[in-house]
Amino acid sequence: MSLSTLTVLKFLFATASWSLSTSFSPNGIKPRTKAFLPRSIGNERDTALAMADAERYTIPDQPARFARAQTEKNERYLNIESVYDPSFIKGKRVAVTGANRGIGYAISKELKEVGAEVIAICRSSSPELEKLEPAETVLGIDVTDDKACETIAGKITGGPIDILINNAGYFYEPVEKIDSLHFAEELKMIDICALGPLRVSAALYNGGLLPSGSSIVMITSQGGSISWRTTQNPTGGDYGHHMSKAAANMMSVLLSQEFKDKGIAVGILHPGFNKTEMTAKYAKIWEIEGAVDSSVGAKRVIHEIGKISMDTTGKFINCEDGLEIPW
């Protein structure tokens, strides 16, 4: 059989399969139920889709994800040093919000060590940040304060920013259930985690500090995946945290769309499970779920920042394994 004949047959088979799986209605094309598909075609399609999803998406069950990485000896997951090459960021001007502690400080520390110019943007400093001596430090910035955020660009004196890392966040520690809701705390989380990054990004862009070719990194969380709640929150709860991260993800995607014609890429990153003050309430499951020191988490984040481009803009990535997280 010639190559051209084989190509035609493949096309005809694909067309027939599509025809079997759809029907026409006054409102357009609608999918038929699987019952109307020949069993072999339906099974083959489901298998192909499942394989494609497995290659594209990480899995929601954190302990199972970590266990699988161990079983498969996944070096990318278990040893970030095996793939880590931060040379791309040397000499870049990188602004980091929430740089004074936690994963924000760990990212800032690693950035400086690999030769980046760090611009720390925080409400207040810390002994660790002062010892780090960033290239620039902008203090007094509460990301919930419109007026304060509007002053950021004017306080940065070293020129345009190559990469903005929106890291500042907030996590209300008590577990929220229907009889223990704290609406003020929920609004605070949404304000800090979703509106905060938008305020900072807008301030730097409108202030002329995010030119074409720059990129914006949103540090969000797998907790913002709606489709994963049935696995990760089978009994619900923690309303404010998950709503704030879902809102942050929505904001990030919308920003990525608006900035496409401006040549500014937006990366949406789950930094992985890191051993920080913010996750200390989960310390009892750190080892079971593969939590890592924040210095390791920082390298995972920087590794994924190196992959952000206009081709990947708007994608939601798990820094543990580099795979996508579904919305």
Side-chain angles (χ1 to χ4, degrees):
M1 184 181 296
S2 69
L3 181 60
S4 59
T5 303
L6 181 60
T7 302
V8 171
L9 287 174
K10 284 183 177 180
F11 173 78
L12 291 173
F13 178 80
T15 305
S17 298
W18 181 84
S19 298
L20 286 165
S21 64
T22 58
S23 61
F24 289 87
S25 74
N27 296 322
I29 299 172
K30 292 184 176 180
R32 288 182 179 172
T33 62
K34 194 181 296 184
F36 291 97
L37 283 172
R39 185 177 301 275
S40 61
I41 295 176
N43 289 345
E44 288 174 4
R45 184 185 65 180
D46 289 349
T47 300
L49 289 173
M51 290 176 65
D53 281 352
E55 293 178 358
R56 178 179 178 183
Y57 294 111
T58 190
I59 61 175
D61 188 318
Q62 182 86 34
R65 187 193 309 159
F66 180 50
R68 184 176 72 174
Q70 292 177 306
T71 299
E72 296 176 350
K73 294 182 174 55
N74 185 333
E75 284 291 288
R76 162 65 184 81
Y77 193 120
L78 302 174
N79 178 22
I80 190 62
E81 294 286 359
S82 65
V83 295
Y84 186 56
D85 178 8
S87 58
F88 75 94
I89 213 161
K90 184 176 182 179
K92 301 286 187 182
R93 286 176 51 78
V94 185
V96 184
T97 65
N100 58 332
R101 64 188 181 97
I103 189 67
Y105 169 73
I107 291 171
S108 300
K109 184 173 184 290
E110 178 64 17
L111 285 169
K112 183 168 183 183
E113 288 180 358
V114 298
E117 283 187 41
V118 178
I119 298 91
I121 302 173
C122 318
R123 282 190 304 168
S124 59
S125 189
S126 67
E128 294 81 9
L129 184 62
E130 290 174 6
K131 184 178 179 181
L132 184 63
E133 296 183 341
E136 296 186 56
T137 302
V138 179
L139 300 178
I141 304 301
D142 180 340
V143 297
T144 67
D145 186 327
D146 296 356
K147 297 299 183 184
C149 288
E150 288 171 2
T151 69
I152 298 174
K155 293 179 177 180
I156 294 175
T157 60
I161 301 299
D162 296 299
I163 301 170
L164 166 63
I165 302 177
N166 281 301
N167 163 78
Y170 174 63
F171 192 4
Y172 178 60
E173 288 194 10
V175 175
E176 283 191 289
K177 302 298 281 189
I178 198 67
D179 60 353
S180 60
L181 297 171
H182 199 311
F183 297 114
E185 288 290 336
E186 291 173 8
L187 288 170
K188 182 178 178 180
M189 280 184 273
I190 291 170
D191 199 2
I192 293 172
C193 299
L195 291 173
L198 185 58
R199 288 188 183 97
V200 174
S201 300
L204 291 184
Y205 176 76
N206 294 328
L209 294 183
L210 286 175
S212 178
S214 60
S215 59
I216 298 173
V217 181
M218 302 294 188
I219 303 296
T220 66
S221 169
Q222 62 182 359
S225 169
I226 294 172
S227 63
W228 277 10
R229 289 315 94 217
T230 52
T231 298
Q232 296 185 344
N233 292 80
T235 60
D238 275 342
Y239 292 90
H241 170 64
H242 296 294
M243 289 189 296
S244 73
K245 296 305 182 181
N249 288 346
M250 175 63 80
M251 175 275 296
S252 301
V253 171
L254 292 173
L255 192 65
S256 74
Q257 290 296 107
E258 182 169 0
F259 277 176
K260 278 184 176 179
D261 66 353
K262 297 173 174 50
I264 300 173
V266 177
I268 309 165
L269 303 182
H270 166 57
F273 197 7
N274 296 286
K275 297 176 181 178
T276 65
E277 181 183 338
M278 192 174 289
T279 66
K281 63 186 283 188
Y282 300 118
K284 63 182 180 181
I285 60 172
W286 274 351
E287 303 309 320
I288 298 172
E289 300 201 358
V292 298
D293 187 82
S294 58
S295 62
V296 176
K299 291 179 181 179
R300 286 174 165 178
V301 168
I302 293 170
H303 176 71
E304 291 304 324
I305 289 175
K307 296 183 177 182
I308 295 172
S309 69
M310 295 310 299
D311 292 330
T312 67
T313 191
K315 291 188 180 297
F316 185 17
I317 302 297
N318 178 14
C319 292
E320 293 171 339
D321 54 20
L323 298 176
E324 284 186 63
I325 297 175
W327 302 115

